[in-house]
Amino acid sequence: MNEIIDQLQELSETVPVPLELPTFEQIVEVEEQILIGLPNDLKEYLLYASDVIYGTLEPVTVADPYSHTYLPEVTSYAWSIGMPRDQIAICQVGESFYCINEEGEVQFWEDGDFSEEGWESLWDWIEDVWLEQ
């Protein structure tokens, strides 16, 4: 995990207005808003690497409630178009979503269904999908 975080930080693009990392309290607020506990991998990602900007994928964030990547808003929208409520959106791609369940397993949800491909952890998804784009 630490190696992946280091790799993300090295690849992160410099932008005029950088993203901020959240506090633990902000993560707790997000859990209260969506009424689901975030898996540990997602919490660690949010605390230590959610300020990374890399490639075309934009994973969720929690530090800025006005961001288009704000986890409660992205997840609420995904739920409103049919994504199961036991899933938490981690990245929106058009009208499709990479999502994670409370056990930390990541899947791709599109057109009302899950793809056959899945990842055992958020870190596997980051390596196989985000870093490989």
Side-chain angles (χ1 to χ4, degrees), residues 28-96:
V28 171
E29 287 174 21
V30 162
E31 289 177 312
E32 291 171 353
Q33 286 179 30
I34 65 171
L35 302 174
I36 296 179
L38 302 181
N40 287 336
D41 285 353
L42 182 54
K43 288 180 188 178
E44 290 173 11
Y45 162 76
L46 291 168
L47 285 168
Y48 303 111
S50 64
D51 61 340
V52 169
I53 297 174
Y54 172 70
T56 58
L57 294 179
E58 296 181 281
V60 293
T61 59
V62 298
D64 180 3
Y66 300 104
S67 172
H68 68 284
T69 57
Y70 189 56
L71 187 149
E73 294 297 322
V74 175
T75 297
S76 294
Y77 176 68
W79 289 340
S80 77
I81 62 169
M83 188 179 80
R85 288 210 32 109
D86 64 341
Q87 299 290 318
I88 302 163
I90 58 168
C91 187
Q92 183 173 357
V93 182
E95 293 294 306
S96 304

